Amino acid sequence: MDIRHYFTIIAVALTVQANALNYREMEFPTLEVPEMEAESYSLLEPIYAPEQSTYIFDEVAPMPSPKMDFDFFKSKTNPDIKPYKFMDDLTFVGIPLFVAGWAVKGDKAMFRVNQKAEDGGKKNTQLLTDFKTGIDDYTQFFGPAMVVGLKVGGYEGRSDWPRLLASAGMSYAIMAGFVNGIKYSAKEMRPDGSTANSWPSGHTATAFVGATLLHKEYGLTRSPWWSVAGYGVATATGVMRVLNNRHWISDVMSGAGIGIMSTELGYALCDLMFKQKGLLRNDLVLDSEKPSFFSISMGLGLGSKDLEFESEGEKVNIKFRAATVVDAEGAYFFNKYIGVGGRLRVRAQSAKDFGDFASLVAAEDYYAWQSLLPYYMDAFPGDYRLPATTEQDQFFNEQSFLGKVGYQIDSESSWNDNAPVTDIYGIVKSDHITEFTGSVGVYFNLPLSNHFSLGTKALIGRSITQELDIDGHAEGNKKDIGYTMTFDNRPGHMDISGEPAISLNDLQYPNNTGEKWSDDWEYLTVGAKSSTSFGTGLSFTYRYRSNFSWRLFCDYDYTRKDFTAKYDPFHFVQNSMTYGASFLTDAALETATGDYADGLGLEVREYRTRKYMNYWTLGLSFLVNF
């Protein structure tokens, strides 16, 4: 062995021995776990590759925590962001919505719902609406409020502040120009008769501009559920405008179309102006061929627009306008062609004409008592003459004297001091028959291309009906009558019906008791039992992003409804007189002859009918694909 190798081995051995002695004197080591901070990572991020004209997925660095962003005038552009070209992001879906609203503009109510005469309303319309909510005054701003809040909070969206503010300003300016230009040219009267600027709905247009802002800034780039929230609140705003009696369904549909079109056009113009400058995020990309979806829809309901009731030969009917239809629908597809899902549908159909049901409460309060006069005439012998200021007054005076004597009414004040009924009107709690339907079933899809497809479905569900409701209000002066009444039940003295003959003695002129009376009651209710519903439909879907679609649809639904109408027009009569006078009136009505007395009474009238309902719904859906 070489002497150098020998000394090398000796040196290594001595070194190992020394290290071993050192380790024997060391304390046993302890394991320390370092503190770790949670960091968010986006493992795969779509990055636009210009040379490939497509997206590639790559790992990205940890995402920093969001910081408040108040740089309203500072422009910034993130790298690798796909630029937008002019009209690159337009869907044109607002056009069919606007056209649909314009097409049904003629479907208006035959009566107006106004404030009372003393509140400045029209005196010949005493049907007052009681439904009112101010929520729609605030929900119209939900979209921009969310966009600004998220942006200030540092939650990065599609655009930087300058580009966002320019796009929003352009969108609202275009919308305002369209809405106001049409409003004051068309001069469409509102349902409540207040002003002639109903079509299109400004609230709804504003709400859909905000919803589309939220959709473009955060729905397309961060999460599709921001889009669902925006369009859902905007749809609710439009429905509330109809329920508030401020707009027709045509106004709301056209307003929604203008809102969507204005925002898409505003963004298109800013894309032309800013080009790639000011863009922060790319659109989300969904890699799935299955057409599974969740959607919200607004549509126009057609078909089954009248209800006719018959009871003991008497026919009454209610006519309805086209219905407002709102849906939430979703389906999971097993492949490209078939899936299962369900739909929740709210269908509100408002009355166009209450027919004979409204003949009493729709009268001008100064003449309201004329409808009631036959009920009071036998109990209240007297001349209820009005000041003959019009031909109508003169005609009524000539027809209603019946040779009786009494007091002359020379002024409205003296009338109010003497008449049994001085005011009567109806309060509309709900002028809609609203149906809530939950359905489940099978969904079918037929792809036509990468972007277009046809669809259909077969559904079964349950329909629940919320009733139409009108309350009555009447007030006046309580009357009393002095009289004696003789019942003669001796053989040969009975009347033709076999009942005891009744004769009145010492019948006195009705006089005021000095008391005022008032009555509030359920004047009319119309409802239906729950029923089984069957549905199908045909749809045309445009998938303009990998996870967003617009859908035009025509649905057909069938159900059998058992409707009941309860009508109580003269509930207040007993309150308007003392017990003795009321008893006299009841007796007089029971013994009176003639078609008028035979066909009517003071009791509650109940009508029933069974109707096979065939509903057609035309509408537009906003879909999130997943």
Side-chain angles (χ1 to χ4, degrees):
M1 178 183 292
D2 188 25
I3 188 66
R4 288 176 299 177
H5 291 165
Y6 177 80
F7 282 106
T8 300
I9 293 172
I10 295 297
V12 171
L14 292 174
T15 302
V16 172
Q17 177 67 23
N19 286 336
L21 293 173
N22 289 336
Y23 277 111
R24 288 175 60 186
E25 296 174 357
M26 292 179 59
E27 295 181 358
F28 189 78
T30 59
L31 180 63
E32 295 183 1
V33 180
E35 294 184 1
M36 303 181 67
E37 295 183 359
E39 291 184 326
S40 299
Y41 284 82
S42 178
L43 299 180
L44 293 177
E45 176 79 6
I47 299 177
Y48 185 69
E51 66 280 0
Q52 301 178 28
S53 297
T54 185
Y55 288 94
I56 61 175
F57 289 85
D58 196 7
E59 294 186 2
V60 297
M63 294 189 303
S65 300
K67 297 180 180 179
M68 302 288 280
D69 185 358
F70 295 101
D71 295 329
F72 301 112
F73 306 104
K74 182 178 179 181
S75 178
K76 58 181 178 180
T77 305
N78 288 341
D80 302 320
I81 303 299
K82 172 195 170 184
Y84 288 92
K85 299 178 182 178
F86 179 60
M87 297 183 66
D88 188 33
D89 206 26
L90 267 69
T91 65
F92 300 100
V93 296
I95 295 176
L97 265 178
F98 176 83
V99 172
W102 174 79
V104 298
K105 251 169 46 61
D107 189 23
K108 307 302 184 190
M110 295 171 62
F111 65 93
R112 307 269 181 207
V113 179
N114 291 301
Q115 297 299 315
K116 293 179 61 177
E118 59 265 34
D119 294 334
K122 300 179 180 180
K123 286 191 174 183
N124 63 347
T125 52
Q126 280 296 99
L127 217 54
L128 315 181
T129 180
D130 192 50
F131 180 88
K132 178 63 179 176
T133 177
I135 300 176
D136 49 348
D137 292 330
Y138 303 99
T139 55
Q140 62 176 321
F141 302 115
F142 173 80
M146 290 302 302
V147 171
V148 171
L150 292 169
K151 187 72 174 170
V152 169
Y155 193 62
E156 207 170 61
R158 178 187 196 258
S159 312
D160 65 357
W161 274 114
R163 185 166 184 150
L164 169 62
L165 294 175
S167 300
M170 191 82 71
S171 301
Y172 280 108
I174 294 171
M175 180 273 294
F178 274 122
V179 169
N180 289 296
I182 298 173
K183 269 181 180 289
Y184 297 103
S185 299
K187 297 181 179 180
E188 190 76 21
M189 184 62 69
R190 292 180 183 271
D192 61 4
S194 58
T195 53
N197 61 348
S198 187
W199 182 70
S201 168
H203 277 65
T204 307
T206 301
F208 273 86
V209 168
T212 310
L213 285 174
L214 186 60
H215 166 63
K216 286 184 173 293
E217 289 296 325
Y218 291 100
L220 287 173
T221 63
R222 302 303 296 249
S223 171
W225 299 108
W226 289 117
S227 302
V228 173
Y231 283 115
V233 174
T235 300
T237 302
V239 172
M240 283 187 284
R241 297 304 287 169
V242 175
L243 296 179
N244 269 339
N245 213 42
R246 293 291 290 166
H247 281 289
W248 313 102
I249 179 61
S250 58
D251 307 338
V252 166
M253 296 187 73
S254 293
I258 289 176
I260 296 173
M261 285 191 300
S262 298
T263 313
E264 291 191 340
L265 185 57
Y267 267 77
L269 293 175
C270 286
D271 289 340
L272 182 65
M273 294 165 49
F274 286 84
K275 297 183 171 59
Q276 190 174 0
K277 188 176 181 180
L279 293 175
L280 304 179
R281 292 186 66 85
N282 285 314
D283 291 349
L284 297 170
V285 178
L286 176 68
D287 186 19
S288 175
E289 295 182 348
K290 297 179 182 179
S292 301
F293 71 91
F294 173 82
S295 72
I296 53 174
S297 313
M298 183 169 65
L300 178 71
L302 306 173
S304 300
K305 296 176 66 175
D306 67 282
L307 279 177
E308 184 175 272
F309 298 91
E310 183 174 356
S311 178
E312 298 179 356
E314 180 188 4
K315 292 183 178 181
V316 290
N317 66 80
I318 300 176
K319 296 181 180 179
F320 291 89
R321 299 202 299 260
T324 305
V325 182
V326 178
D327 295 342
E329 190 171 15
Y332 173 78
F333 277 76
F334 306 109
N335 49 47
K336 292 182 180 180
Y337 307 104
I338 188 169
V340 294
R343 182 188 70 192
L344 295 175
R345 168 163 287 178
V346 180
R347 179 187 181 91
Q349 196 163 12
S350 60
K352 183 177 183 179
D353 181 9
F354 287 117
D356 293 336
F357 287 125
S359 60
L360 178 61
V361 295
E364 183 179 347
D365 53 8
Y366 191 47
Y367 296 98
W369 69 283
Q370 296 179 20
S371 301
L372 308 174
L373 188 62
Y375 292 98
Y376 286 100
M377 188 61 70
D378 290 290
F380 295 166
D383 177 2
Y384 297 97
R385 188 189 306 188
L386 293 173
T389 56
T390 65
E391 293 183 3
Q392 180 185 3
D393 297 339
Q394 182 63 39
F395 174 80
F396 178 76
N397 290 339
E398 293 173 356
Q399 299 297 317
S400 62
F401 290 167
L402 302 179
K404 298 184 178 182
V405 296
Y407 52 79
Q408 170 83 28
I409 301 299
D410 296 319
S411 66
E412 187 172 352
S413 60
S414 60
W415 163 262
N416 289 330
D417 290 337
N418 291 279
V421 181
T422 58
D423 196 8
I424 183 171
Y425 54 85
I427 303 172
V428 180
K429 297 292 185 180
S430 170
D431 68 344
H432 295 70
I433 286 184
T434 306
E435 294 185 38
F436 302 88
T437 306
S439 305
V440 295
V442 184
Y443 287 74
F444 303 94
N445 182 69
L446 177 63
L448 302 178
S449 68
N450 290 335
H451 294 283
F452 297 97
S453 64
L454 291 175
T456 187
K457 57 197 171 189
L459 303 177
I460 183 172
R462 198 70 178 167
S463 174
I464 301 173
T465 303
Q466 183 183 50
E467 64 186 14
L468 177 150
D469 182 16
I470 301 177
D471 286 357
H473 173 84
E475 58 188 57
N477 302 287
K478 182 164 286 192
K479 295 288 187 176
D480 190 20
I481 304 175
Y483 62 92
T484 60
M485 181 180 293
T486 302
F487 291 83
D488 192 347
N489 64 348
R490 293 174 298 170
H493 292 264
M494 302 287 189
D495 61 20
I496 57 175
S497 63
E499 299 292 331
I502 300 176
S503 59
L504 294 176
N505 304 309
D506 301 324
L507 181 63
Q508 297 178 4
Y509 185 81
N511 57 81
N512 287 345
T513 64
E515 299 179 31
K516 297 289 185 179
W517 65 270
S518 65
D519 192 16
D520 295 279
W521 76 102
E522 288 191 347
Y523 175 84
L524 173 67
T525 58
V526 179
K529 297 179 180 179
S530 60
S531 60
T532 301
S533 173
F534 303 92
T536 185
L538 186 65
S539 63
F540 179 75
T541 303
Y542 168 47
R543 193 165 182 171
Y544 79 106
R545 289 288 184 271
S546 64
N547 53 348
F548 289 102
S549 304
W550 289 98
R551 172 177 292 170
L552 288 170
F553 67 89
C554 177
D555 283 354
Y556 170 75
D557 295 282
Y558 167 83
T559 185
R560 187 188 70 183
K561 289 284 186 183
D562 292 322
F563 287 95
T564 300
K566 293 184 179 180
Y567 181 42
D568 189 9
F570 301 114
H571 181 276
F572 62 89
V573 170
Q574 289 188 344
N575 286 346
S576 66
M577 58 187 92
T578 61
Y579 174 78
S582 176
F583 183 82
L584 177 62
T585 302
D586 291 342
L589 286 171
E590 290 176 2
T591 59
T593 59
D595 294 337
Y596 189 89
D598 288 342
L600 296 175
L602 301 183
E603 73 280 352
V604 179
R605 305 169 203 177
E606 189 168 299
Y607 306 87
R608 298 181 183 274
T609 187
R610 172 172 290 181
K611 186 161 185 177
Y612 299 92
M613 312 297 287
N614 298 281
Y615 295 135
W616 293 91
T617 304
L618 300 174
L620 180 71
S621 300
F622 173 76
L623 285 74
V624 172
N625 299 105
F626 56 86

